């Protein structure tokens, strides 16, 4: 990862960045990715990347797969990215994320369709405003350390097809 990050910043027409299953190590420095305005798919799954996972790395990003790594924290920071996010799919499963659920979901794009964060160490309760995700179809937070009451998904998210909160 160390040797590729700054060269990638100059690939302005890049639409897909797939670095999956390459035994990459270290952390991701996100600022070099902000210039990739055409990037719609970002996949760094199956590596040994640690540090912070940020799913909002480019303004046109629709698919972010950061699963099967060693990320210890996760959030949706917009930095220089447009507030009109296009992110639809986010997978941060099988990491070691040790953070409060309410912090993780701060700034989650309201148009997210699939969110998978299973097999981590995410704790706390799901925030009440999580029910304001009208397009959410899949929500998987299984095998974490969640507690507290569930937000009222049924009344506000009619599109929800899969809700997995098992093995808390």
């Amino acid at each position: 990862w160390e040797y590729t990050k700054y060269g990638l910043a100059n690939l302005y027409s890049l639409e897909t960045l797939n670095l999956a299953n390459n035994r990459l190590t270290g952390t991701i420095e996100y600022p070099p990715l902000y210039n990739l305005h055409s990037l719609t798919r970002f996949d760094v799954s199956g590596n040994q990347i640690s540090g912070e996972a940020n799913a909002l790395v480019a303004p046109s990003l629709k698919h972010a797969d950061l699963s099967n790594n060693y990320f210890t924290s996760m959030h949706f920071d917009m930095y220089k990215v447009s507030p009109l996010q296009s992110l639809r799919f986010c997978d941060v499963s099988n990491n070691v994320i040790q953070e409060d659920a309410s912090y993780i979901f701060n700034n989650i794009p309201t148009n997210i369709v699939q969110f998978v964060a299973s097999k981590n160490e995410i704790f706390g309760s799901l925030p009440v405003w999580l029910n304001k995700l009208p397009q959410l179809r899949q929500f998987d937070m299984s095998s974490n350390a969640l507690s507290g009451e569930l937000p009222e998904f049924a009344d506000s998210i009619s599109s929800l097809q899969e809700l997995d909160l098992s093995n808390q």
Side-chain angles (χ1 to χ4, degrees):
W1 180 253
E2 186 66 34
Y3 300 107
T4 61
K5 64 185 172 189
Y6 292 106
L8 292 173
N10 296 322
L11 301 174
Y12 302 114
S13 298
L14 189 67
E15 294 178 7
T16 299
L17 178 55
N18 187 344
L19 298 171
N21 303 309
N22 282 303
R23 290 182 273 188
L24 298 175
T25 60
T27 60
I28 295 177
E29 288 187 37
Y30 294 97
L33 301 173
Y34 299 154
N35 292 329
L36 304 179
H37 295 284
S38 298
L39 188 67
T40 59
R41 294 182 64 85
F42 180 68
D43 188 344
V44 292
S45 63
N47 285 293
Q48 299 166 8
I49 302 171
S50 59
E52 183 176 79
N54 182 5
L56 300 180
V57 298
S60 299
L61 196 66
K62 293 181 181 173
H63 180 102
D65 192 343
L66 300 127
S67 64
N68 299 297
N69 279 288
Y70 298 109
F71 290 111
T72 55
S73 65
M74 196 274 165
H75 61 273
F76 296 94
D77 269 352
M78 290 189 226
Y79 295 107
K80 295 180 181 179
V81 177
S82 167
L84 302 172
Q85 277 299 318
S86 56
L87 188 67
R88 300 288 189 267
F89 173 86
C90 179
D91 187 347
V92 292
S93 62
N94 295 300
N95 279 286
V96 289
I97 298 172
Q98 302 172 338
E99 232 165 11
D100 190 295
S102 61
Y103 177 75
I104 290 173
F105 295 113
N106 196 24
N107 294 327
I108 189 170
T110 57
N111 53 350
I112 192 98
V113 174
Q114 295 174 282
F115 181 78
V116 181
S118 60
K119 298 180 183 171
N120 280 289
E121 299 170 28
I122 299 169
F123 57 89
S125 59
L126 296 174
V128 175
W129 48 262
L130 196 59
N131 62 15
K132 297 188 187 315
L133 303 174
Q135 297 179 38
L136 189 64
R137 285 192 309 225
Q138 178 189 16
F139 187 76
D140 185 350
M141 293 279 295
S142 61
S143 300
N144 278 289
L146 296 174
S147 60
E149 294 185 24
L150 290 176
E152 296 193 22
F153 288 101
D155 294 336
S156 56
I157 306 178
S158 59
S159 62
L160 193 62
Q161 296 172 356
E162 180 183 338
L163 174 62
D164 191 347
L165 300 171
S166 62
N167 299 316
Q168 300 300 320

